[in-house]
Amino acid sequence: MIVEKHYDDEVLISLLESADGDRETVTDPHLDSCVDCRASLESLREVTEILNDDATWSPHEPSEEPSPKVMAHLNGFAARMSAEEAEAEVWIQELLSGPKETWADNLARHPQWRTAGMVRKLIEATDRAIDRSPADGVKVSELAVKIVEAPCAREVSDQQCLRTRGAAWREHAYALYY
């Protein structure tokens, strides 16, 4: 078995320094044949170019004025969350109004209830249900988990989806523990 040797960072940096960073002047037989070393050299070249750029080192004060674009995005997000939670407040009453054996079927009949707001309201309801009956708390937390295990909607970011999923599973684990 032949073990292929690759250049370490020190060798690649010395090749860059000897060529003054110029792509065409770096000639090496190993680099011509090794894709990994060529990629590492290119990565080091990019880092070197960024570090040599004056903009990297020039201090600038952040603007005191909020960005209108960011503010519009945050306000829209807050409005969507408020609307989701207001809808969920009504839906949760309907969902949990019957016997607990019907809750899962009731959720399955209403796909529009599968929102992050509904998950947050179910998490709140789990805490209240645990005080009355721990078994009911587990059942409510299972509903939240059923919602988050479905694929997230396109308008929801992956990060928000993962946080909501984590919160539902955490609450379910707590209900089971309790």
Side-chain angles (χ1 to χ4, degrees):
M1 180 168 127
I2 298 174
V3 177
E4 185 177 346
K5 297 216 175 209
H6 294 287
Y7 288 159
D8 63 8
D9 287 344
E10 289 181 22
V11 172
L12 292 171
I13 290 170
S14 68
L15 285 170
L16 269 180
E17 287 173 347
S18 67
D20 291 329
D22 187 19
R23 284 178 171 78
E24 285 73 34
T25 58
V26 176
T27 56
D28 186 272
H30 177 72
L31 289 175
D32 293 337
S33 63
C34 182
V35 175
D36 293 334
C37 288
R38 225 178 15 249
S40 295
L41 180 68
E42 189 58 34
S43 175
L44 286 171
R45 182 179 284 121
E46 289 173 8
V47 169
T48 303
E49 287 172 1
I50 290 169
L51 291 175
N52 285 327
D53 187 3
D54 289 337
T56 303
W57 303 105
S58 71
H60 64 283
E61 292 295 317
S63 172
E64 293 291 326
E65 292 297 314
S67 165
K69 189 176 180 180
V70 171
M71 291 306 297
H73 178 73
L74 290 175
N75 288 334
F77 180 73
R80 284 190 306 275
M81 278 187 69
S82 294
E84 255 185 19
E85 293 211 359
E87 286 177 331
E89 193 69 46
V90 174
W91 294 339
I92 197 122
Q93 299 300 323
E94 190 176 335
L95 174 64
L96 303 178
S97 64
K100 67 180 168 190
E101 293 78 20
T102 63
W103 293 348
D105 292 336
N106 209 0
L107 179 63
R109 282 194 308 273
H110 297 90
Q112 72 274 17
W113 290 357
R114 294 178 177 271
T115 66
M118 189 67 160
V119 172
R120 289 188 296 273
K121 289 300 179 181
L122 284 168
I123 288 171
E124 289 175 18
T126 299
D127 292 336
R128 291 189 303 269
I130 284 175
D131 291 339
R132 289 188 318 270
S133 166
D136 287 356
V138 170
K139 201 73 165 163
V140 172
S141 69
E142 284 175 357
L143 296 173
V145 168
K146 281 184 181 193
I147 291 173
V148 297
E149 285 308 309
C152 284
R154 289 185 184 158
E155 63 271 0
V156 176
S157 72
D158 289 339
Q159 188 176 23
Q160 182 186 5
C161 185
L162 290 174
R163 282 188 177 149
T164 305
R165 183 172 287 145
W169 275 106
R170 179 184 179 279
E171 192 66 23
H172 184 57
Y174 174 75
L176 289 169
Y177 173 76
Y178 195 85

